[in-house]
Amino acid sequence: MSEVVSYNREGKIGVITVNYPPVNALGQAVRSGLLAALEQGQKDADAKVLLLVCEGRTFIAGADIREFGKPMQEPTLPALVNTFENSDKPLVAAIHGTALGGGLETALSCHYRVAVSSAKVGLPEVKLGLLPGAGGTQRLPRLTGARKALDMITTGEFVGARDALALGILDAVDDGDDIRAAGLAYAQKVADEGKPVRRVRDITDKIEADKGSDVFDQFRDELKKRARGLFSPFKCVDAVEAAFSLPFDEGMKRERELFMECMESPQRGGLIHSFFGEREVSRVKGLAKDTPVRDVKSVGIIGAGTMGGGIAMNFVNVGIPVTIVEVKQEALDKGLAIIRRNYENSAKKGKLTQAQVEQRMALITPSLTYDDFRDVDLVIEAVFENMAIKKEIFARLDEVCKPGAILASNTSTLDIDEIASATKRPEDVVGMHFFSPANVMKLLENVRGSKTSDEVKATVMAVAKKIRKVGVMVGNGYGFVGNRMLHKRGTEAMSLVDEGATPQQVDKVLTDLGFPMGQFAMSDLAGIDVGYRIREERRKAGEDIPASWMDKLAEQGRLGQKTLAGVYKYEEGSRKPVPDPKVEQLIEQFRKEQGITPRAITDQEILERCMYAMINEGARILEEGIADRPLDIDIVWIYGYGFPAHRGGPMFWADQEGLDTILCAVKKYRDTVGGEQWEPSALLEKLVSEGRKFGDL
Ligand code: T1G
């Protein structure tokens, strides 16, 4: 018998138990173990009914993703589930935790399914650039009908046990939390009542009901909007449609063909890289697993503006009380009013009850004095980017906060060490860079200063997990990882427009690549004044920052979406960027003043200059150790800057593009465009000369 699957009998019930931590994934050992256990159960004359149950925290959470891309080993999953379904003894699946992907498909090949009420089921393969490849697209619609099956399979969203019961996916839900007992009781009932083998493949009423329906085309149209540029969601619809147009076995064949097409798509590689990357970034290089973590049971926030308010919501959302300090009462009132409005909007959408709104608002204490920070465990400063003001604040925090309190800055560019130098406890100072809107964006760029202690680093990574953010630890340097690379892309985007491109041409190249919005639409969202103030700060600091047509927009009060005019113009109540002839005139005027003769610029040049400048900078960031691994950069960009996850992030994408191609282009632009951003990174040169990739680092 295999180590990971066991068989025993309890009375008339043959019990097949999977125990393969952490999530009982269907690796080769589990698949062959299941097959052997099923065979044993078949042969066990005293076993009238068979029960499939799992040890640990969850039922099978899918195929073993780590096996993808490697040669497929027998038994294959489709063969296994068909063998299960063909069992001539009733098979019951007992589900706890999450029955996902191949796990749910295995349960669907059983004849009855029972779950504890806390369980969830789902077919999230589409999130990995795949589709359910072991019968999920053929069996699920036989239970739920076309629309619900399409919804579950094209979104990958999980469904709770009670809803799954209502949908016919489950046969029973047990209110207890002992899945083995619940499974045995249900299997006993099947045995006692002599319930027959019931194969999902034979259930056709829902198939007949939706045969020839236009729901498939409706989903294709809808996916054109919500899955723009993605490959597998459309294949999911094709596969489910096959269940309504082909006999079962041919439908299974069609599913396999479509599954293999998804497997071969580069998007699968990008999405799986993102899946594991999101988990890997939580393991910080050089930080021991058992590094002590401080308790963070109360938080202080300085500034009730857009960032401060959003940051506060993250903590009260998980029940951590927050004290917000502002300089003036009206700023405080305005900030809290925005937070309340955000929650009430969620309540209007049914995402929160009014009681939950009040409960969260009750966890926020407005204040006008730092003294109210004396007992908090963590303080996050979220005021606008001015070093002098930030140092003043940290000096004050140093006086009032208790020993052991963590002092964090939400700065998006400034030097953490310089901020820390304003205190006598630089080891307790760290950057916690949230992204706007802070209550929505998943990324938290945690910035270690040169003196930040391991305990503080481990604590802010744990805080990220606690407030449901993807935390990435990065080093201290201008713009850290994300903004530093964004700045290079921005510089190239600006130059491309100076030289002849239009803002909308540049933005279209980026949205065609898969970004939710382009460089200039993003500037309009963030506010033209934000970039303008940073440039003015740097000019005041003596840096030679050239004039730009963007400054003229700011000086004319075209600050972006908030003034319904920036690089684009906006209709009242709409976020849709509309090219504005006035801006084109302004840019033409600017070119004249700069003596620039515009030229035709290709989309390929725009792609190369915007993306390769970022990647060259990403390589420098790795050289300097500001990012420990290429995947840290990838996850920062996917969760903080909308880099399309199906391309795996900038460094993963660069490997797909070919580092030699990129280096060649970098050198071309060094010689033609110029600028320090086109000096090839030593790391990039080294990898190319050794025929290696970022993925090899
Ligand atoms: N394969 C391999 N490893 C997996 C895994 C999987 N399916 N799921 C999780 N892990 C690892 C994960 O990397 C982490 O490892 C640890 O388990 C805990 O995960 C034919 C083709 C189950 C909801 O897409 O959504 O079936 O970092 O940190 O927050 O149709 O993991 O500790 O080393 O995420 O509690 C379909 C993916 C596969 C589910 C648990 N299944 N997993 O969340 O813990 S494709 C999925 C999840 C398929 C068939 C097809 C979540 C979770 P480490 P975690 P969690």
Side-chain angles (χ1 to χ4, degrees), residues 20-26 57-68 77-78 98 100-105 122-128 130-136 158 255-256 259 263 272 275-276 278-280 282-283 289 465:
Y20 181 49
V23 294
N24 294 311
L26 288 156
R57 63 180 170 162
T58 180
F59 188 78
I60 301 166
D64 191 335
I65 303 170
R66 295 186 192 284
E67 289 186 352
F68 291 160
L77 193 50
T98 51
L100 303 175
L104 179 56
E105 292 173 299
L123 294 173
E125 285 86 345
V126 72
K127 295 182 178 176
L128 300 170
L130 296 168
L131 56 83
F158 302 172
E255 175 194 89
R256 177 56 42 177
F259 178 79
M263 272 299 231
I272 289 180
F275 174 85
F276 284 121
E278 182 192 336
R279 286 149 182 81
E280 195 60 31
S282 63
R283 286 183 273 269
K289 243 188 170 174
K465 212 166 201 162

Side-chain angles (χ1 to χ4, degrees), residues 430-444:
V430 68
M432 293 180 80
H433 178 207
F434 289 80
F435 289 75
S436 180
N439 56 312
V440 178
M441 293 298 285
K442 280 199 76 174
L443 181 69
L444 175 51

